[in-house]
Amino acid sequence: MPLSRFPLLHRVFLRRWHRRLGIVSAAFVIVLAATGLLLNHTQSLGLDDIPLENRLLRALYGVPAVAPAFPLACPRPVAVVAAVDAPLQLAACSDRIALLTAGGEIVDQLDTARGLPADITAVASDRDGFLLQRGATTFRLDRDNFTVAALAGAPAGIAWQSGATAGPDIHWERVLLDLHSGRLFGTTGVVIVDIAALLFVVLAISGIVMFRRRD
Amino acid sequence: MQLRALLLLLALATSAHAEVPAERFLAEAFGTAPAPQMLWLTPPLKERAARILDHAYAGMRVKYWRAGRRTAWILDEIGKEQPITVGILVDDGRIARVEVLAFRESRGGEVRHGFFTRQFVDARLQAGDRLDRQVDGITGATLSVWAVTRVSRLALVFHDEALRRD
């Protein structure tokens, strides 16, 4: 459209507001570009594996400040049970167990190399101590010698514990996705990002118009 | 059907007698393994252990087996990322045998071989709870070598302490 078609007032108005909106949206552009760039390379950067440790961000998600941790580092945690008769706990993985104080200090450990049956599936505690289960077989743990012995049958009324996990956790990929979409700040954040998107559209249109008026 | 039953029986029989590394180690060391005993770690002993390992010992007690002045210890130490389980036999203050009972790392498994573990035979403690000899390393297995060396030193310390408490 020829320059003469635009009154001077409109051209100044357009340029001024294009500049103002551009400054306002600059921060959004930077954040969205940065998060978008990182999200494009999530796997190579391992962002889906890096747990979120920042307390403020964890508070935004309503999760504990510190990620819940199983007392033992193992690929297949089973459960932690407290002793009935002493201030002790037993933490069990499928191939390793640890006797802990009530405060979580390790007293002793036993694994398959030392005679622990492999593939422990559940643990329990009764007035005689700790029990372990592997399939249909029940084992009694001797706390003093820290050995296990198979029982002829499981005692009655045992409340078996199993299915422990290290706890669900938030990773940086989730944070970036939520920041990119605005969901990190709830509905307000989503609305703000929507407005920013509309701003970008307005800027694009005004920019095209100003570019064309140079013809 | 009969073949399947036979194979199942064979599998069950095999699994029922699956070797436990620690039990075999103790049987070879003592014939009939004595009843285990517990060495409770006092604060000074914990400190000595921590100096050897470069980290706190993960436990309040250590199980060991003893016949006369011979003791056997089964200790864990992290190589790179996984624990290495090592059996150490100590005779009157000198190492009689070192054997890697369980190796869980993907690399550095050369420490399981006799050419490495034989270096520890007859080793004693000297000042600073160090071994009285230099242990040759293995290229590509440095962390595993350190782990086995440390638990060997630790076993000698525990052996002295166990005998002293008697």
Side-chain angles (χ1 to χ4, degrees):
Chain A
M1 194 173 290
L3 187 65
S4 59
R5 286 290 189 115
F6 274 89
L8 180 62
L9 186 63
H10 285 176
R11 290 203 301 276
V12 169
F13 176 86
L14 197 63
R15 190 184 301 132
R16 184 179 298 159
W17 277 99
H18 183 88
R19 210 158 39 214
R20 286 172 180 171
L21 293 177
I23 290 171
V24 165
S25 61
F28 293 104
V29 169
I30 291 169
V31 170
L32 288 171
T35 53
L37 198 62
L38 289 168
L39 286 168
N40 252 1
H41 302 278
T42 292
Q43 281 191 336
S44 59
L45 294 172
L47 297 175
D48 52 346
D49 268 339
I50 304 173
L52 177 67
E53 293 178 356
N54 181 281
R55 286 171 185 258
L56 183 61
L57 289 172
R58 291 185 73 85
L60 276 175
Y61 280 97
V63 295
V66 177
F70 195 73
L72 299 180
C74 56
R76 287 187 290 163
V78 173
V80 180
V81 292
V84 168
D85 61 331
L88 294 168
Q89 310 175 70
L90 186 74
C93 304
S94 62
D95 62 351
R96 190 153 66 100
I97 60 173
L99 185 65
L100 312 169
T101 63
E105 187 179 355
I106 294 176
V107 177
D108 210 338
Q109 299 190 61
L110 184 67
D111 57 21
T112 53
R114 293 171 172 79
L116 179 76
D119 300 322
I120 297 297
T121 52
V123 291
S125 164
D126 66 5
R127 56 192 173 85
D128 294 323
F130 293 113
L131 296 157
L132 307 169
Q133 190 176 61
R134 181 189 66 179
T137 309
T138 300
F139 300 85
R140 169 74 65 190
L141 174 68
D142 179 332
R143 277 205 310 246
D144 293 328
N145 291 328
F146 222 53
T147 53
V148 293
L151 300 179
I158 296 298
W160 292 104
Q161 306 291 319
S162 64
T165 63
D169 205 4
I170 311 285
H171 296 87
W172 273 101
E173 184 191 34
R174 167 49 51 196
V175 177
L176 289 171
L177 282 167
D178 291 343
L179 184 60
H180 191 79
S181 64
R183 278 193 299 270
L184 189 64
F185 304 103
T187 310
T188 309
V190 173
V191 169
I192 290 173
V193 170
D194 287 346
I195 293 171
L198 292 172
L199 268 180
F200 299 158
V201 171
V202 168
L203 280 170
I205 293 172
S206 60
I208 291 170
V209 167
M210 286 192 302
F211 178 78
R212 288 195 65 188
R213 74 182 180 177
R214 292 184 185 190
D215 291 341
Chain B
M1 184 63 108
Q2 281 179 338
L3 179 61
R4 277 188 200 171
L6 186 62
L7 288 171
L8 180 60
L9 272 172
L10 194 60
L12 284 172
T14 311
S15 66
H17 296 285
E19 183 182 79
V20 176
E23 289 177 4
R24 178 190 49 74
F25 175 77
L26 294 171
E28 290 172 0
F30 296 104
T32 304
Q37 302 181 50
M38 291 294 183
L39 178 71
W40 287 87
L41 273 64
T42 58
L45 190 55
K46 279 187 187 177
E47 280 179 30
R48 281 178 81 182
R51 276 198 297 272
I52 290 171
L53 296 174
D54 254 348
H55 62 78
Y57 180 79
M60 297 169 65
R61 66 186 188 188
V62 187
K63 186 190 291 187
Y64 69 103
W65 295 259
R66 179 180 173 183
R69 296 187 69 78
R70 165 176 283 203
T71 61
W73 308 83
I74 297 176
L75 304 173
D76 279 350
E77 177 60 358
I78 303 285
K80 186 176 181 185
E81 291 167 346
Q82 301 293 330
I84 303 172
T85 303
V86 185
I88 304 113
L89 189 63
V90 184
D91 245 332
D92 207 7
R94 61 175 182 81
I95 291 179
R97 184 175 165 206
V98 168
E99 182 180 341
V100 174
L101 302 179
F103 188 86
R104 303 171 182 88
E105 300 272 16
S106 56
R107 298 179 61 181
E110 294 88 344
V111 294
R112 291 173 292 185
H113 297 300
F115 75 84
F116 173 72
T117 57
R118 277 193 292 271
Q119 296 184 87
F120 294 91
V121 174
D122 286 334
R124 291 181 178 273
L125 274 183
Q126 62 180 20
D129 289 337
R130 298 199 167 275
L131 295 180
D132 63 351
R133 64 196 53 195
Q134 180 71 29
V135 173
D136 288 339
I138 301 173
T139 304
T142 304
L143 297 177
S144 298
V145 168
W146 287 354
V148 176
T149 305
R150 283 174 180 165
V151 295
S152 298
R153 292 163 60 193
L154 198 56
L156 286 168
V157 168
F158 286 161
H159 169 89
D160 285 350
E161 185 66 17
L163 263 56
R164 188 188 66 79
R165 289 186 190 181
D166 260 353

